[in-house]
Amino acid sequence: MKPAAFEYVCPDTLEEALSYLDLWGDSAKILAGGQSLVPLLNMRLAQPQYIIDINRLPGLSGITRHPDTRTVEIGALVRHHQLISNPILLAHASLLSEAARYIGHIAIRSRGTIGGSIAHADPSGELPLAVTALRGHLKVRSRHSQRTIPIEDFFGGYYMTALEPNELIYAVEVLESPIRTGCAVKEFQRRHGDFALASAAAAITVDESGAVLQARVAVGGVAPNAVTCSKVEEALCGQTNNNQFSLAAELVAQHIDPPEDIQASADYRRHLAIALAAEAIDSAYERALWAKEEA
Amino acid sequence: MAYIGQRMTRVEDERLVTGQGQYVSDITPSGTLHLAVVRSLHAHARITHLDLSSAQCLDGVIGVYGPDDVLPIMKPFPPGMVDARLQARMPTPLATGRVHYVGEPVAVVVALSRYIAEDAVRLVEVNYEPLPAVTDPVAGEYADPIHDGADSNLAAEIAYRVGAGADALKDADLVVQTSLRLGRVVGHPMEPRGIVAIYDSEQQNLSVYAGTQGVHGFRKSLADMLGLSESRIRVVAPDTGGGFGLKTRIYPEDVLAAYLAMRLNRPVKWQGDRYEEFISTNQERDQWHRAKIGVKRDGRIVAVVDEYYQDQGAYTPSGIIVADTTAVSIMGPYRVPNFEAVGKVVVTNKVPVGPYRGAGRPQGTFVMERLMDHAADALGMDRVQIRRINLLTPDQLPYQNGISSRGALMTLPYGEYQKTMEQVVDAIQYEQYRDTVRCEGDWRLGIGIANYLEMSGGVGFEGAKMRLLSDGRVQIATGASGQGQGHRTAIGQVAADRLGLPFEQIVVVEGDTAAIERGIGTFGSRTMIMAGNATTQAAKGFRQRLLAFAADLFEASPEDLMWQHGTISVSGVPARALSLAQIAEEALTRQQELEYEAYFDASGPAFGMGTHGVEVAVNTKTWEVKIRQYRICHDGGVIVNPLLVEGQTIGGTVQGLGTALFEALIIDPDSGQPQNASFLDYLLPGAGEMPDFMITEVEYPDPTNPEGFKGVAEGGVMPPMAAVCAAIEDALKEWHVRADVLPITPNDIFLQVTRGGAHETRSI
């Protein structure tokens, strides 16, 4: 449980970090919160030659609202615990706050970062799930270029992403939730803080009459990456009651082909995904109605 | 003030919780070299080629050693527990020719740091020719032998028969049969195994720091393997972070580190990590049972019959103690007139099995308690009622159940078993809810009750050596090395009472062969029975020794002296008095050691009966199981410190709940590869999954020892599996779920529910 030798750098500017990354590419790993990387190093499942510690980089730790574009931008180094209590997120993108509550244990939430979680691309990661549900974008830079990747184009299978070896996520961007929106995340863990066997996220917007105007639904832990469930979302539009929600949640099955492993059979994972999606939809809808009352 | 019976907080804790403890990993003498092990990647293979040269060339590597390089120690370990029924399979420190499990040591590296040693491990080239892995003990019995020179994989067959045995089933009105499985559980003390070996080449003495449960046995085994006299070896167990039976014997790494320390004449340290704990430290449970119970229509047991397999893993480091104790534990606190158990111990290509908290007791209890539940169901009788009918009654006790174990017929002493069980039945409101289906939203509630008979101590001896320190405190050394039990507190309480001294005047020393000549160690819930009674014996002699010494000083007869509050005085002449500190001073000037050593010999195991009751809630959407309430009543004999006893009981229960609901090392049946050898997906129960435990105690003094002590460390781990399984079945009656395979997981429950419940296995 001792890592192989590596060279460690701790740059002070994003430009410096990007030039290291440009130089070393695949043989370097970015160290942010270290909650996944450090165990991988210790078990020698990852043996990078270089570690680029980005914890000192300025400007990556903020959460900003841009009213003109109706977006919220979250710096890559924002820690999970900040997501839980940030007033901007609670008001305008509360699905991220909801999701962050389920991440690991308090020590993990204190150190882990949103950029790290998304770049790690764990199939049951809570933040990949929430950002997927919200159709977020990842702001990515390399030494010489900059681009924005829609999250639906970002994940490429278990722990795989569209990042080039010289690229770094510096921010995550999501659209503000419309008024009269309620959000909920549900997951099933064997123990407190475990990776989810299955999880579901829902953001439901209702119209003035209380019918579903827009639905965002995604499930996690049941495929190589989080999966948006467009058929469920379509089926929910215009609906107002729980029976219809349950029927809509059944459609999750058409989006997934869950893996089987020592923790759960494919059938059980599918069953959980549907049950959790139904719960998340119910709960998000109820919150949307509260939001309507307040509006 | 009597200290025995007080809830005293532990004298050990301040050091430990403030980080002042000294564990093996904290001990690194200057010049220490670090050892890392090249382990087999295959469950079963021939080693066709071993090339150490690349590893030897790495900077900072002192040496790389294969079996041919350490020939003096390349002999099988001495059999752990000799038994006529067993053909022992003992490993050599490094595998030769063939590897038998994933993790078996193949070679070792010694380097300037553990980092370099781990780098070098990856440079050692081992070529393997894979062989079919034996991963199932039932099929494995007749598979090609995994050990060269062995006739078969059957290492032992265990057979017990009481009364007419299985033949008596024909007299039953109803026979119920069930298949039970217990998963392969990894013990996981918080501190992984480790050793530091220091050789003094001038004096030719070897000092060893090792987290072991018995320093004397460790020394003996090490001496055998190294070909060194025991008198040249000192073994010290510093603070040790848990053992649970896994640290009772020496392992290959211990011998390799000690041998290389001598050969290289530098301290050598091996500190195992968590992954090594998963693939090299003894594992447990892992049994397959096919059990039958025959009952009369009124619920009385006619006979219990069990055929079982112990999936033993590759070797028999602790003999057949686990498989044997399983059979011995089945009848428990019940009257079973006819009994038969046949157990087969089959070697497989897995990590060896050795005792882990319970050592067969939990398995035996699981078998019996599951049979009781299934028999009650088949009779249409209440599950508690069938226990009431069959529990031994006070007028039947003491009772010999017909099993001869550890050299004596098992004799269950007096107790009031029904009263103990009723305490739990009442506390958990069993009667109030027994016939109702209880729902709370998506949750169904259910209750399970399980009884057990805890067998503790009963073998060998243990000592206590008292010595007057120069400041007047009394030091007590014992060979029973603790790993977190709180011996220094509990033995101190016994000593303070028996010496009539303030508790603060007692110092307990454990885990050092230099402190006491002989000892056995701490396992099998034996320490308070053995070292506790040895302390009582020693107190008597020590007092006499001091009185005799003081009599000389006072020029009085010992009979005329009084011993009170740590002061010895001449009766009727209070002015002529000396404190123990003054006596120590006198002894120093006269160059006399004031000490006394006593050894207590066991005359048979102690037995205490107890009951667990659990209420679970099962979610009918996710099939999650939550523990809502947990009630325990147990017999602790004369309880020295209720706080420590409750800690033992809760700790054991949590481990039992782990076996019930969470823990199992999954081995791929084809390759023999462990699938979840890390805490990522080997699920230990966490505090968040555990309920608050409510414990009550009864105290029936044990007749096998003067103090009336009973062991309490394994009772907790015995019944939780059966109790939880019963509660889950109760909650899910509607779906006829059957919880006979451990761990019982949400996935398993889901599959049973969607497939229409368990298959009926009962026959009439």
Side-chain angles (χ1 to χ4, degrees), chain B residues 307-522:
Chain B
E307 291 170 62
Y308 64 99
Y309 285 84
Q310 175 71 55
D311 185 334
Q312 175 59 34
Y315 298 104
T316 57
S318 294
I320 53 173
I321 185 77
V322 174
D324 190 50
T325 306
T326 299
V328 166
S329 302
I330 291 174
M331 284 193 272
Y334 302 104
R335 212 175 73 79
V336 181
N338 302 287
F339 172 73
E340 191 163 327
V342 177
K344 289 181 172 178
V345 178
V346 178
V347 289
T348 57
N349 291 118
K350 302 179 190 174
V351 169
V353 159
Y356 161 58
R357 200 171 198 163
R361 293 166 183 81
Q363 292 93 320
T365 304
F366 185 64
V367 170
M368 188 68 192
E369 294 299 311
R370 291 277 64 208
L371 285 175
M372 295 297 271
D373 285 339
H374 294 324
D377 294 353
L379 286 167
M381 181 180 274
D382 174 64
R383 286 175 165 189
V384 166
Q385 186 57 23
I386 197 170
R387 289 173 165 83
R388 285 192 187 105
I389 290 167
N390 289 290
L391 277 175
L392 288 158
T393 51
D395 60 293
Q396 291 167 334
L397 295 164
Y399 176 80
Q400 292 189 327
N401 67 10
I403 295 270
S404 179
S405 172
R406 290 165 188 147
L409 264 181
M410 280 174 69
T411 306
L412 282 49
Y414 182 81
E416 293 158 298
Y417 296 173
Q418 282 83 359
K419 270 169 75 177
T420 296
M421 182 174 76
E422 297 303 339
Q423 275 202 32
V424 172
V425 168
D426 289 346
I428 206 147
Q429 298 180 288
Y430 179 87
E431 296 295 343
Q432 192 175 332
Y433 295 115
R434 66 180 233 199
D435 294 323
T436 56
V437 175
R438 296 160 67 204
C439 304
E440 275 181 21
D442 292 331
W443 299 86
R444 289 292 174 93
L445 310 186
I447 294 180
I449 301 282
N451 294 315
Y452 66 98
L453 183 73
E454 178 174 19
M455 174 172 66
S456 57
V459 281
F461 67 88
E462 200 60 77
K465 182 176 182 177
M466 293 190 174
R467 190 157 74 85
L468 188 62
L469 300 177
S470 59
D471 61 2
R473 289 181 303 157
V474 177
Q475 176 185 290
I476 301 154
T478 175
S481 316
Q483 316 99 49
Q485 290 85 349
H487 292 165
R488 294 176 204 183
T489 309
I491 291 172
Q493 287 176 261
V494 174
D497 270 2
R498 298 301 169 241
L499 288 170
L501 291 177
F503 178 74
E504 295 69 28
Q505 209 166 335
I506 309 288
V507 187
V508 178
V509 172
E510 46 183 346
D512 187 351
T513 54
I516 183 166
E517 319 325 308
R518 297 189 294 138
I520 293 193
T522 289

Side-chain angles (χ1 to χ4, degrees), chain B residues 109-121:
Chain B
V109 175
V110 175
L112 294 178
S113 77
R114 171 81 186 203
Y115 289 86
I116 298 169
E118 287 193 22
D119 291 344
V121 161

Side-chain angles (χ1 to χ4, degrees), chain B residues 458-603:
Chain B
V459 281
F461 67 88
E462 200 60 77
K465 182 176 182 177
M466 293 190 174
R467 190 157 74 85
L468 188 62
L469 300 177
S470 59
D471 61 2
R473 289 181 303 157
V474 177
Q475 176 185 290
I476 301 154
T478 175
S481 316
Q483 316 99 49
Q485 290 85 349
H487 292 165
R488 294 176 204 183
T489 309
I491 291 172
Q493 287 176 261
V494 174
D497 270 2
R498 298 301 169 241
L499 288 170
L501 291 177
F503 178 74
E504 295 69 28
Q505 209 166 335
I506 309 288
V507 187
V508 178
V509 172
E510 46 183 346
D512 187 351
T513 54
I516 183 166
E517 319 325 308
R518 297 189 294 138
I520 293 193
T522 289
F523 48 83
S525 306
R526 67 192 301 275
T527 297
M528 284 323 290
I529 298 174
M530 305 304 298
N533 280 286
T535 299
T536 301
Q537 282 182 4
K540 208 171 162 194
F542 184 66
R543 224 188 233 256
Q544 281 166 359
R545 173 82 182 88
L546 262 58
L547 286 171
F549 178 76
D552 273 355
L553 296 178
F554 290 130
E555 294 178 345
S557 141
E559 293 82 61
D560 295 335
L561 298 185
M562 275 176 51
W563 169 296
Q564 217 171 13
H565 308 307
T567 301
I568 298 176
S569 60
V570 180
S571 298
V573 195
R576 298 191 66 196
L578 288 171
S579 70
L580 290 192
Q582 289 168 317
I583 288 181
E585 208 170 300
E586 294 291 345
L588 202 63
T589 52
R590 287 167 175 71
Q591 296 189 325
Q592 287 200 37
E593 278 287 348
L594 293 179
E595 57 183 30
Y596 190 86
E597 190 172 353
Y599 289 87
F600 177 73
D601 289 303
S603 63

Side-chain angles (χ1 to χ4, degrees), chain A residues 1-291:
Chain A
M1 292 273 187
K2 303 290 183 201
F6 53 80
E7 196 170 313
Y8 169 88
V9 293
C10 188
D12 290 315
T13 65
L14 182 58
E15 288 64 35
E16 193 187 349
L18 291 172
S19 60
Y20 283 129
L21 202 51
D22 203 57
L23 191 65
W24 296 329
D26 268 340
S27 50
K29 274 278 176 200
I30 300 289
L31 174 67
Q35 297 306 295
S36 299
L37 179 61
V38 172
L40 290 173
L41 291 175
N42 284 347
M43 294 187 207
R44 297 194 180 214
L45 295 171
Q47 299 194 28
Q49 262 181 287
Y50 305 96
I51 295 286
I52 305 171
D53 183 343
I54 61 167
N55 283 283
R56 280 202 215 150
L57 300 190
L60 300 189
S61 302
I63 297 173
T64 327
R65 184 180 172 212
H66 299 293
D68 47 335
T69 51
R70 304 187 67 82
T71 55
V72 178
E73 189 177 306
I74 302 125
L77 282 181
V78 168
R79 315 278 160 178
H80 306 324
H81 75 93
Q82 291 173 280
L83 299 176
I84 295 174
S85 56
N86 181 273
I88 296 175
L89 292 181
L90 287 171
H92 302 289
S94 65
L95 192 66
L96 290 171
S97 310
E98 288 290 319
R101 291 172 195 278
Y102 286 92
I103 302 174
H105 301 276
I106 194 162
I108 294 169
R109 294 193 294 272
S110 298
R111 292 209 61 86
T113 66
I114 186 168
S117 170
I118 288 173
H120 183 56
D122 190 289
S124 48
E126 285 82 1
L127 295 178
L129 170 71
V131 176
T132 297
L134 294 176
R135 314 295 201 273
H137 288 75
L138 305 170
K139 296 189 149 185
V140 167
R141 275 190 61 178
S142 66
R143 190 177 172 197
H144 298 295
S145 67
Q146 177 166 349
R147 60 178 176 141
T148 298
I149 311 176
I151 193 142
E152 51 266 41
D153 300 336
F154 183 74
F155 296 118
Y158 293 98
Y159 308 102
M160 302 294 281
T161 73
L163 279 180
E164 295 296 330
N166 65 346
E167 284 182 326
L168 173 79
I169 300 174
Y170 69 92
V172 177
E173 186 183 69
V174 294
L175 278 174
E176 274 183 28
S177 300
I179 53 162
R180 298 189 299 268
T181 297
C183 294
V185 173
K186 298 286 171 187
E187 68 174 59
F188 183 71
Q189 311 163 320
R190 292 290 308 282
R191 300 172 306 174
H192 294 81
D194 273 343
F195 285 97
L197 289 188
S199 52
I204 305 281
T205 307
V206 295
D207 63 20
E208 283 164 2
S209 73
V212 175
L213 190 64
Q214 176 190 288
R216 297 285 188 231
V217 178
V219 291
V222 288
N225 302 117
V227 177
T228 51
C229 301
S230 53
K231 290 182 183 169
V232 180
E233 294 170 347
E234 285 159 25
L236 286 171
C237 282
Q239 305 294 356
T240 52
N241 76 59
N242 292 19
N243 283 342
Q244 292 159 337
F245 297 162
S246 299
L247 287 174
E250 301 274 342
L251 299 173
V252 163
Q254 298 189 14
H255 290 276
I256 58 172
D257 181 15
E260 179 147 336
D261 61 24
I262 58 167
Q263 301 282 9
S265 58
D267 285 348
Y268 180 52
R269 274 216 164 81
R270 186 179 300 109
H271 165 84
L272 280 178
I274 293 168
L276 294 165
E279 276 188 43
I281 292 164
D282 281 353
S283 179
Y285 179 74
E286 201 175 318
R287 288 173 182 178
L289 293 182
W290 297 343

